[in-house]
Structure formats: C-alpha cells, structure tokens
Amino acid sequence: MPFVHGFVLALGLIVVLGPQNMFVLAQGATRSRLLGALPAVLTASLSDTTLILAAVLGVSVAVLSLPWVKIALAAGGVLFLLYLGWTNWRAGPVSDEALERGVGLSTRQQVLFALSVSLLNPGAILDTVGVIGTSSLAYHGTARVVFTFASITVSWLWFFFLALVGRLLGKTGATRGVLNRVSAVVMWASALYLGYELLFRP
C-alpha cells in the first residue's frame, strides 16, 4: 500500500533527533504559549514538504549522480552544525521572568532559523532525496501521489507534536537549559557523522 509505505518510511527518517527536530522542540519549550512556536512548526513543515516534492519529482537522480554536490553539502553542513551547536551551548537556560516578558526569537528569526536547519541540513536533504525520492519510483500515477501525500503528512503531524512535547517539558528555566545543551550535543554529533561520511565514505 503506497500510503502505509510512505507514512512509515517518512516517520523512520524524521524521528531521528537532529537539528531541525531539536529547534522545533526548543521553540515549543521556550514559548509562553504553544501558538508562539507556530512559525517554526509551519516553516519546518513547509520546508520538508518542498524537499519531499522535489525528491519525488526526480531531483534525487540528479543529486545522487553528481558526487561534488554531495561533498559540498556535507562540507557546508559540518561547519554549519558546529556553529549551531556552539551557539546553543552558550545560550544556557532561559529564565521564567524573561519568558514571561516574551524574550526570544522573533517570528522572522524563527522562520529564518527553521529554514536554515531544514534546507541547509545536508543529512536531511540526502535522506529525503535519496530515500523518499528513489522509493517513489516504485509507484506511478495515483499511487505515487498517495505515497507523496503520506510522506508529507508525517512531517506536519510530527512537527506539531514536537512543539507540544517541548511545551509540556519546558515548564522551567532549568529544563530549557538542558534542552539547549542536548540540542548542542546532537548538532555536534551530526557534524562528526557528516565529517566521517565525507572523509571515509566518498
């Protein structure tokens, strides 16, 4: 069944704890209201939708056939993730008083940051393009549309769920500080993994 295949495949890719997920989770935790994380949720969801549509429409073949594109994405991604990890580690906890005053990323900053961790994340791009794009080739016509719709649905449901979980966990400044540190470690681990893939698995 194309719907089940697309849903399970996309879920397996998206649940991995990466920069994009951690950012949405952190936004849910650091907002005074869940609605405040909506810009991050919508931007991440729309970014994933764009990547999935591009993959299904055949970009996968072009990207995977050009080794230098993968190398450039991986090299840029390593530097980008190292920087994100450093900024998150230095951020520390957010005080409850500051949260009540609404201190945090503006809507524009949320959108730009969500775009960066979504569209400049080579791991996510290669996973989406390489796995979902190539898997979609097994279907034609309506079946491919159903497969694509299922994959996109997972993204929207997952990011709303992450923001909700972040809101439930982020009741205290200490919890939000831990999320920042965990996010930093995840980003550094992702950078190391990408560096390994770049150097030892050309």
Side-chain angles (χ1 to χ4, degrees):
M1 294 178 62
F3 184 87
V4 175
H5 182 197
F7 194 93
V8 173
L9 187 66
L11 186 62
L13 290 175
I14 202 170
V15 297
V16 177
L17 199 63
Q20 185 188 44
N21 284 344
M22 288 305 303
F23 176 68
V24 174
L25 185 70
Q27 287 307 298
T30 56
R31 299 288 129 183
S32 57
R33 293 188 304 162
L34 184 61
L35 190 62
L38 195 58
V41 171
L42 292 178
T43 303
S45 300
L46 288 170
S47 296
D48 268 24
T49 298
T50 300
L51 289 176
I52 291 171
L53 288 175
V56 173
L57 291 174
V59 176
S60 57
V61 177
V63 171
L64 294 177
S65 65
L66 298 172
W68 68 267
V69 173
K70 291 200 292 186
I71 293 174
L73 284 172
V78 168
L79 296 176
F80 176 67
L81 290 171
L82 288 173
Y83 171 74
L84 285 183
W86 179 74
T87 55
N88 275 7
W89 187 270
R90 285 173 54 89
V94 178
S95 69
D96 294 328
E97 293 78 10
L99 185 62
E100 289 171 1
R101 292 196 302 268
V103 174
L105 295 180
S106 65
T107 297
R108 179 175 178 274
Q109 289 172 323
Q110 275 196 68
V111 170
L112 291 177
F113 207 92
L115 281 173
S116 67
V117 295
S118 300
L119 301 181
L120 297 181
N121 182 352
I125 293 173
L126 292 177
D127 281 348
T128 303
V129 171
V131 178
I132 294 180
T134 54
S135 296
S136 70
L137 298 177
Y139 302 103
H140 302 279
T142 303
R144 182 176 290 185
V145 173
V146 172
F147 173 88
T148 305
F149 175 76
S151 302
I152 291 172
T153 299
V154 169
S155 292
W156 286 82
L157 294 177
W158 177 252
F159 290 125
F160 275 100
F161 172 74
L162 271 183
L164 177 60
V165 170
R167 183 72 192 99
L168 295 175
L169 292 177
K171 297 294 184 181
T172 66
T175 300
R176 291 188 289 272
V178 169
L179 284 176
N180 280 339
R181 296 298 176 90
V182 171
S183 176
V185 171
V186 168
M187 291 177 186
W188 287 334
S190 299
L192 290 174
Y193 176 76
L194 283 174
Y196 173 79
E197 291 288 311
L198 177 63
L199 294 175
F200 301 105
R201 294 186 181 181

